[in-house]
């Protein structure tokens, strides 16, 4: 009986680890504006809104959202590394949005 309790405990811990890992794999983005000027910051937010709309289209019916982001790097002149889709606008010397 004691072995059964240990087995159930191990299974529950494994299930918890799997669910935590699944949540941590949500893709992230980072957009860096050209400068701290208001028009550059406004452009950064416009790009964010466009990206979110495009992302919803890219991942429809896709099993791996990371692959969809990797396939669409050229659309925004972005890089996709370690789960972060990074867009640098202009010189990238301004505010960032994640």
């Amino acid at each position: 009986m004691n072995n059964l309790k240990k087995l159930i405990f191990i299974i529950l811990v494994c299930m918890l680890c799997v669910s935590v890992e699944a949540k941590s794999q949500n893709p992230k983005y980072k957009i860096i504006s050209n400068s701290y000027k208001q028009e550059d910051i406004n452009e950064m937010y416009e790009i964010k809104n466009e990206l979110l709309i495009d992302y919803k289209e890219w991942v429809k019916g896709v099993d791996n959202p990371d692959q969809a982001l990797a396939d669409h790097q050229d659309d925004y002149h972005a890089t996709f590394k370690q789960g972060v889709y990074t867009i640098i606008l202009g010189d990238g010397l301004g505010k960032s949005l994640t």
Side-chain angles (χ1 to χ4, degrees):
M1 192 64 162
N2 214 5
N3 286 337
L4 183 60
K5 287 181 182 180
K6 286 181 183 179
L7 180 63
I8 291 173
F9 177 75
I10 291 171
I11 290 172
L12 290 174
V13 169
C14 289
M15 290 174 61
L16 177 65
C17 291
V18 169
S19 66
V20 168
E21 179 64 25
K23 287 181 183 177
S24 68
Q25 290 186 0
N26 289 335
K28 296 179 179 10
Y29 65 87
K30 182 175 186 177
I31 305 170
I32 305 170
S33 67
N34 184 41
S35 72
Y36 284 95
K37 293 180 183 175
Q38 189 61 46
E39 56 266 13
D40 289 336
I41 292 171
N42 291 345
E43 179 187 12
M44 176 183 64
Y45 280 100
E46 289 173 16
I47 295 291
K48 180 215 43 140
N49 292 335
E50 292 172 14
L51 176 62
L52 293 176
I53 291 168
D54 286 342
Y55 176 75
K56 288 178 184 177
E57 283 296 313
W58 297 340
V59 297
K60 280 185 183 175
V62 173
D63 291 334
N64 186 351
D66 285 352
Q67 186 60 50
L69 288 171
D71 291 344
H72 289 277
Q73 292 179 74
D74 290 341
D75 294 9
Y76 285 91
H77 306 289
T79 58
F80 184 67
K81 293 181 183 172
Q82 298 177 345
V84 179
Y85 192 81
T86 304
I87 302 169
I88 300 174
L89 303 173
D91 294 331
L93 300 174
K95 189 174 189 169
S96 67
L97 179 67
T98 54

